[in-house]
Amino acid sequence: MSRTYRPRAGAPSAPGGAVVAALVAVTALLVGGCSRANEVATQASSDGLRAELGGLLLSNLMVLAAGEGRPGTVLGAVANHGQGPATVSIGLPGRTGERIEVAQDETVLLGPEDNRIRLADMPEPPGAVVELRIVSDRDGELTRRVPVLDATLDHYEGLVPSPSPS
């Protein structure tokens, strides 16, 4: 037989019990909105950078290179959530970037095994950051600093470009 507590009819209740319960509930809601979990949920969860350019979402952007002065390749993804297709150019500032076409509601993967965006003569070594210039024919342009990585991490081994034959 289970036991339950039932106050007797007419038994006095704790004064302001409902008010205290309401204050506790409101405080929990207000404090919960400022929690660390909500803050973390808006941050990218990878080694790469996340950026928005109009209707384009660029995620996990990074550059893989064996060293300073060596060729690099851009790794990441470009998702088109805007109206219509977009032509996107990605490269180092002051240099002509390589173009990719991204259809509406499509995500294009960037990397040596997907859509290759090759960068010649990396101005920074692995472990540093380098500026990438991203230009869209539809959404404008932006410049962002992204990490430069090498094959130190096993999952990038085989993806780091080697110098072109002379």
Side-chain angles (χ1 to χ4, degrees):
M1 175 157 90
S2 66
R3 295 178 155 198
T4 58
Y5 171 74
R6 291 193 182 119
R8 286 180 279 142
S13 61
V19 172
V20 170
L23 285 173
V24 168
V26 168
T27 301
L29 287 173
L30 291 174
V31 171
C34 298
S35 73
R36 175 93 175 124
N38 288 339
E39 184 180 316
V40 171
T42 63
Q43 297 175 355
S45 61
S46 72
D47 295 334
L49 175 89
R50 180 179 186 268
E52 291 184 39
L53 177 60
L56 299 171
L57 174 63
L58 299 104
S59 56
N60 303 331
L61 286 181
M62 65 184 76
V63 173
L64 300 177
E68 186 174 353
R70 307 278 301 271
T73 190
V74 177
L75 198 64
V78 181
N80 182 356
H81 301 294
Q83 295 297 314
T87 300
V88 180
S89 171
I90 301 176
L92 297 170
R95 301 182 191 178
T96 303
E98 292 193 32
R99 293 183 179 166
I100 57 168
E101 301 292 327
V102 188
Q104 181 176 336
D105 298 323
E106 180 181 71
T107 299
V108 173
L109 299 178
L110 307 174
E113 297 172 346
D114 300 298
N115 294 284
R116 174 169 260 160
I117 295 187
R118 198 165 169 95
L119 306 171
D121 303 320
M122 288 300 301
E124 299 292 338
V129 293
V130 67
E131 286 191 342
L132 281 184
R133 182 171 177 251
I134 301 139
V135 180
S136 165
D137 64 337
R138 185 190 70 204
D139 296 304
E141 69 178 80
L142 59 82
T143 301
R144 291 290 186 268
R145 295 169 59 89
V146 301
V148 179
L149 302 173
D150 60 12
T152 301
L153 299 173
D154 291 341
H155 54 279
Y156 298 130
E157 191 173 340
L159 301 178
V160 175
S162 56
S164 301
S166 307

